[in-house]
Amino acid sequence: MKRVLVIGIGTGDPAHLTMEAIDALQRVDVVFVVDKGEDVADLTRVREEIVRRSTDASRCRIVTITDARRDRTAAAYEKAVDAWHDERARRYAAAIDAELDADGVGAFLVWGDPSLYDSTLRVLERAGRVVTTPFEHTVVPGLSSLQLLAARHRLVLNDVGQAVLVTTGRLLAQQGFPAAVDDVVVMLDGGAAWRHVDQDLEIYWGANLGTADEAVVAGRLADVAPEIERQRAAVRERRGWVLDIYLLRRRSPTP
Ligand SMILES: C[S@@+](CC[C@H](N)C(=O)[O-])C[C@H]1O[C@@H](n2cnc3c(N)ncnc32)[C@H](O)[C@@H]1O
């Protein structure tokens, strides 16, 4: 049976690839690289570098799948994402049908870990419903930006026995800091959603973690927000892209 591996590759540093991921990459016949367009060309290069270092070039082919365009103008967000995932599933299915032999092994490389804000697994499940020949898929976990953030700030993300919420910049800006938790990790923040919350919260921020341009800042929001904005602009300027993640923590009252 055809097999597809979904391999988490960490967030930019090839040294963060796990032994399991390297092992898996050495067994694949085809790596499917999803081309998401010019704005993330540098990230695509990082992926290609990992493939070059970790695969057996004599047996592994790289096949590019041009990603479907997402309608960012659509008012109904979920509906637009759904239609986009359908089109991506058709493209993934066509590539798997065309490029993998009956017992071939393919791989999709996923930034960080596939379990966190990544649609590869959802799209592959849909692709499984439209392929001509069925395939089974397996996940090889990777180091996510969440883990890197915690490591860089030497953080335990939760308070003892308490919950942590992982959310997006869009939701934080819309809904504010939730009342029910004290620790909130924010990802996918295209703006600066921390401007919409109580400036007395603690922030532990990291950008382009695992790359040469990594930046980290921590402190009370009111004190460090200008420094974060300065560093974020500087990273974007140097590298051409910036990906950031942060923990917002409600400070315990001073005893
Ligand atoms: C589409 S999600 C992918 C998350 C990924 N699957 C993971 O496990 O980290 C992209 C978001 O992840 C975070 N992210 C990814 N790489 C990062 C990095 N190197 N440094 C900081 N944040 C990163 C950012 O919040 C970014 O907006």
Side-chain angles (χ1 to χ4, degrees), residues 11 111-113 116-117 144-145 187-188 206-209 243-245:
T11 60
W111 194 255
D113 183 76
L116 208 50
Y117 292 112
S144 77
S145 52
M187 302 177 70
L188 287 166
N208 291 26
L209 299 168
L243 292 176
D244 63 347
I245 179 168

Side-chain angles (χ1 to χ4, degrees), residues 233-248:
V235 170
R236 191 196 298 277
E237 173 72 25
R238 269 201 309 277
R239 188 76 190 237
W241 53 272
V242 62
L243 292 176
D244 63 347
I245 179 168
Y246 49 94
L247 172 74
L248 291 174

